[in-house]
Amino acid sequence: MLILLVEDDPAQLEPLRAALSKAGHTIDAIGDGETAQWLLSHKDYDLLVLDWMLPHVSGVQLCQGYRQAGKTSPVLMLTAKDTTSDKVIGLDAGADDYLVKPVDVLELLARVRALARRSPLWQGDTLSLEDLYLNLNNLTIERNQVSVQLSGREFQLMEYLMRHSRQVLSHNQIEQALWGWGTEPESNAVTTLVRRLRQRLQTVGAKDWLENVYGMGYRLNVPEKVEELSQ
């Protein structure tokens, strides 16, 4: 997933960013609420992990503004506040879950997995589109009992495409989803990655599912003949 992580303490920010990144997620790790506010107005995230106490713009304010903008991605609040009234404030602001500091990394990853399961595409530890499956534990795609191993970046692209299936995604959207804020991929990085992923999809007989929409970007779409067979 593309995750926005906002924590103003560098000693806590970096270990959390590293753990989430190692779990296969793309992370925008930010240390202040104002920058996070700007990013939320320019990018679409699959999950927000927000520290409650932030300078200038708090995590609660970020969450409230996010919900008021009509955004529905899950929000996980991190805070040292552990009273019932504090939890009620966070949940009323639109948070989906609440984790009290000091944060245990294993528990954080479990909470993130639990929030990810709210996707309508989630089936256990896989994402599915018709008879094409993406295994989130071992980074493989499977169709017709044929399984193919993906690299970390190929997996990230495939997950992003499956979570936004049938939508046309531009080069810029893919770059923002797969490369964290402040990093600059090479100019042909998306094109090269799409070509590699098509080779993996060809192995499972789904190369044509990844379409090139001329002048706009790419789309993961089920060919009509496959949909007809599944009906």
Side-chain angles (χ1 to χ4, degrees):
M1 294 187 293
L2 176 60
I3 298 176
L4 177 64
L5 170 63
V6 189
E7 165 62 67
D8 65 330
D9 183 354
Q12 298 185 58
L13 178 65
E14 179 51 30
L16 296 179
R17 184 208 64 76
L20 289 167
S21 180
K22 187 177 180 179
H25 306 294
T26 302
I27 313 300
D28 282 349
I30 307 300
D32 67 277
E34 289 180 322
T35 303
Q37 204 169 43
W38 183 88
L39 283 171
L40 287 172
S41 67
H42 288 78
K43 297 182 69 172
D44 292 322
Y45 291 94
D46 299 306
L47 172 69
L48 279 58
V49 180
L50 307 176
D51 182 25
W52 182 303
M53 300 297 291
L54 294 168
H56 307 301
V57 180
S58 71
V60 172
Q61 290 172 315
L62 284 172
C63 185
Q64 288 174 327
Y66 189 70
R67 295 300 186 222
Q68 289 170 1
K71 302 295 182 67
T72 59
S73 293
V75 176
L76 172 61
M77 297 293 297
L78 307 179
T79 180
K81 297 176 177 287
D82 61 354
T83 66
T84 299
S85 60
D86 289 326
K87 293 179 181 179
V88 169
I89 291 172
L91 295 172
D92 283 346
D96 297 271
D97 202 356
Y98 198 99
L99 196 54
V100 177
K101 294 181 176 182
V103 175
D104 180 271
V105 169
L106 292 179
E107 184 178 3
L108 171 67
L109 295 176
R111 298 289 184 95
V112 167
R113 289 194 297 271
L115 291 171
R117 292 189 186 104
R118 298 186 181 187
S119 167
L121 297 175
W122 185 279
Q123 295 184 5
D125 290 323
T126 65
L127 292 177
S128 64
L129 181 62
E130 294 295 340
D131 60 349
L132 178 66
Y133 298 91
L134 176 67
N135 190 304
L136 305 179
N137 285 333
N138 60 20
L139 280 61
T140 60
I141 52 173
E142 181 178 346
R143 182 169 182 255
N144 296 330
Q145 298 183 325
V146 178
S147 180
V148 178
Q149 184 72 49
L150 303 178
S151 70
R153 190 67 79 184
E154 291 165 356
F155 169 80
Q156 289 177 333
L157 175 58
M158 190 66 198
E159 182 184 15
Y160 183 59
L161 290 167
M162 291 190 77
R163 289 187 184 277
H164 301 83
S165 61
R166 298 181 172 88
Q167 299 179 32
V168 178
L169 303 169
S170 68
H171 272 73
N172 186 55
Q173 286 176 301
I174 294 173
E175 285 182 356
Q176 289 185 351
L178 271 63
W179 282 269
W181 182 70
T183 60
E184 190 71 27
E186 296 181 3
S187 59
N188 65 340
V190 171
T191 302
T192 301
L193 186 58
V194 167
R195 183 172 64 249
R196 283 166 39 197
L197 183 57
R198 277 205 181 106
Q199 291 172 350
R200 306 290 183 265
L201 288 169
Q202 184 174 20
T203 305
V204 297
K207 178 182 178 182
D208 294 340
W209 292 33
L210 182 46
E211 303 175 350
N212 187 345
V213 183
Y214 183 75
M216 299 179 65
Y218 303 96
R219 174 173 58 197
L220 185 66
N221 197 23
V222 183
E224 291 183 4
K225 59 182 179 181
V226 176
E227 288 186 316
E228 291 172 358
L229 289 172
S230 67
Q231 293 176 355

